[in-house]
Amino acid sequence: MTGRHLPRRLALISVHTSPLAQPGTGDAGGLNVYVWQTATRLARRGVEVEIFTRATSSADEPSVEAAPGVTVRHVPAGPFDGLDKRDLPGQLCAFSANVLRAEAAQDPGYYDLIHSHYWLSGQVGWLARDRWGVPLVHTAHTLAAVKNASLAIGDTAEPMLRVIGEQQVVDEADRLVVNTATEGSELVDLYGADPSRVDVVVPGADLDRYSPGSKLAARAKLGLDPNDVLVTFVGRIQPLKAPDVLLRAMAPLIHADRTGRLRLLVVGGPSGNGAGLPETLIELAAELGVTERVTFLPPQAPDDLAQVYRASDLVSVPSYSESFGLVAVEAQACGIPVLAADVGGLCVAVADGVTGQLVAGHGIAEWTDSLAGLLADPDRLRAMGMRAAVHAEKFSWEHTTDALLASYDRALVGYRGVGGRGTGRFGLRRRRGRTRLTV
């Protein structure tokens, strides 16, 4: 890091989900993995990281030394239970107040930089940035305007409250970190972001944990038949992730399979608008007549998840929207090809025709045809898997950390305090450190 400005202490804000939560449960997913993996690696580079997240249990300690150089602060804001993510905007005042109090108890200049994750955290980071006089780096992870443009059937559009909140954070942040160049273009085109403040930082995978291994050993550990042909879905069970699309696409292939070996494995728990969906998927499997060929597993710890990938012949990511798609990279790192929707960052994560295949749209017939074509050629699948492991080596968390530190350097060098950012797409103009809606 010679010649770069390295923050001594980073305030990392993740309001709605803790990096200590199990991915695949509640609102925990790729964002949790991203926060934890980058925080621990930043700490190894000499940056002290303090993560602020909302307390969701009375058992949460106010401060937890989660790893060397990484502290997780559980911030009280609202009731522990029964608070949906859509209710959290009403608790941002309480959350922000407690974050500011934590800093006020320290010597002046305690934090050098703020990095907020998701728009709720960006709202808190914006306030803290102005109070502390340090730069704000923001990662959206998902964008309401993008999600609303490709809603799943039965899903609910993101509210205007979020769209406006995102616009405010885009206007205010000193640097905007995106997962792919496509996401950067979306920020510019849909939110009027200044391209000179956008940094592309590609997420990674834990390549020490996710690596090729024995398929037979993995199936034995998970209690799966060694002779099955296994297609796997991993993720939160919600309309956005489209597990129902995969289930419907698999059904005719299962009925046509005379060997009785074709099976779908669904790994994950309910989330957000997907509350109750595991039961809905079970009912759908019964309706389609494939109950006996579908296995449901709860969210898996990282080491067990690696075994899930290794046990699979093909991993599918049929999401309607993905800013990147960590599941796709993790599966490929284990040497497993991926069938994914041709959306968002999945176009970067998967090398179409080389390490897997991308499907345009979510038509069931198209997904069935793509599955049938891949599963009919085991030799091609194996070759894709070998190339997938090599492809995934480009996506390491060390590379991600390098790029984040470069973004932090630009934020520290270019920071000039509170100042106007012009007018965004929704007429939000900053005046003397405040934001107002112009008409």
Side-chain angles (χ1 to χ4, degrees):
M1 295 306 301
T2 302
R4 281 187 181 173
H5 294 73
L6 191 69
R8 293 172 298 110
R9 187 176 291 107
L10 169 69
L12 196 156
I13 303 176
S14 178
V15 172
H16 78 283
T17 181
S18 169
L20 303 182
Q22 169 68 56
T25 60
D27 287 312
L31 189 155
N32 300 66
V33 176
Y34 187 110
V35 168
W36 177 253
Q37 293 292 343
T38 56
T40 53
R41 282 164 174 76
L42 286 166
R44 294 172 197 166
R45 306 286 187 95
V47 179
E48 188 175 339
V49 181
E50 295 194 6
I51 303 171
F52 293 88
T53 190
R54 195 179 76 86
T56 56
S57 169
S58 59
D60 289 339
E61 293 291 336
S63 180
V64 177
E65 298 295 326
V70 179
T71 300
V72 175
R73 294 184 179 273
H74 293 111
V75 179
F80 295 129
D81 299 316
L83 203 63
D84 185 82
K85 184 166 67 175
R86 292 184 180 229
D87 299 324
L88 289 178
Q91 298 301 324
L92 289 183
C93 182
F95 190 96
S96 299
N98 285 309
V99 170
L100 295 181
R101 286 170 182 166
E103 187 271 346
Q106 308 295 337
D107 292 332
Y110 188 72
Y111 298 107
D112 298 307
L113 186 139
I114 302 164
H115 190 168
S116 56
H117 292 268
Y118 194 66
W119 77 275
L120 294 169
S121 304
Q123 290 281 316
V124 179
W126 164 21
L127 177 62
R129 186 278 307 272
D130 284 5
R131 171 64 180 82
W132 300 344
V134 300
L136 169 64
V137 176
H138 178 70
T139 304
H141 291 279
T142 61
L143 295 167
V146 175
K147 291 179 70 174
N148 287 346
S150 55
L151 281 178
I153 296 174
D155 207 354
T156 304
E158 294 295 325
M160 184 55 68
L161 170 70
R162 175 180 171 182
V163 178
I164 292 176
E166 287 180 340
Q167 182 68 66
Q168 291 170 327
V169 176
V170 168
D171 291 345
E172 292 290 338
D174 297 279
R175 305 297 305 179
L176 295 162
V177 169
V178 296
N179 293 326
T180 63
T182 297
E183 188 183 357
S185 297
E186 290 167 345
L187 267 182
V188 173
D189 295 340
L190 300 176
Y191 291 83
D194 178 356
S196 69
R197 293 190 293 117
V198 176
D199 297 320
V200 177
V201 178
V202 180
D206 185 346
L207 299 180
D208 293 327
R209 172 175 285 126
Y210 300 108
S211 60
S214 168
K215 179 175 293 185
L216 290 178
R219 291 191 176 189
K221 182 175 178 62
L222 296 169
L224 300 172
D225 192 314
N227 296 313
D228 280 345
V229 177
L230 195 63
V231 178
T232 299
F233 169 90
V234 174
R236 288 172 289 162
I237 309 300
Q238 58 179 177
L240 175 71
K241 301 295 183 179
D244 59 307
V245 170
L246 180 59
L247 180 55
R248 291 182 185 278
M250 285 283 293
L253 299 180
I254 289 173
H255 287 301
D257 174 36
R258 297 182 179 179
T259 68
R261 293 167 49 202
L262 182 59
R263 177 170 291 276
L264 174 62
L265 177 62
V266 178
V267 181
S271 170
N273 294 336
L277 259 183
E279 290 73 20
T280 304
L281 283 179
I282 293 171
E283 293 170 2
L284 178 60
E287 177 186 324
L288 296 170
V290 296
T291 298
E292 298 301 318
R293 307 283 283 279
V294 182
T295 299
F296 292 89
L297 289 180
Q300 303 290 298
D303 287 339
D304 294 329
L305 182 56
Q307 297 286 30
V308 167
Y309 292 136
R310 293 178 188 128
S312 307
D313 293 291
L314 179 68
V315 169
S316 183
V317 186
S319 305
Y320 283 89
S321 176
E322 287 284 355
S323 62
F324 185 64
L326 290 181
V327 165
V329 175
E330 291 170 351
Q332 289 174 103
C334 290
I336 307 303
V338 172
L339 178 68
D342 190 4
V343 298
L346 289 170
C347 311
V348 175
V350 179
D352 189 23
V354 179
T355 69
Q357 188 172 321
L358 298 173
V359 183
H362 291 82
I364 303 304
E366 288 79 8
W367 277 85
T368 298
D369 289 346
S370 296
L371 285 163
L374 290 172
L375 296 174
D377 193 344
D379 290 338
R380 183 187 178 204
L381 273 184
R382 281 190 289 271
M384 281 183 164
M386 289 187 287
R387 293 193 294 265
V390 176
H391 174 67
E393 291 176 0
K394 299 189 300 183
F395 303 106
S396 77
W397 287 116
E398 293 301 331
H399 292 158
T400 304
T401 304
D402 287 338
L404 274 182
L405 287 170
S407 181
Y408 294 169
D409 174 62
R410 296 184 192 105
L412 290 164
V413 170
Y415 181 65
R416 295 181 177 86
V418 178
R421 294 289 187 195
T423 303
R425 177 170 176 256
F426 292 92
L428 298 166
R429 182 185 296 279
R430 293 205 59 227
R431 293 285 181 85
R432 295 192 181 96
R434 302 191 178 201
T435 303
R436 68 182 182 90
L437 185 65
T438 60
V439 292

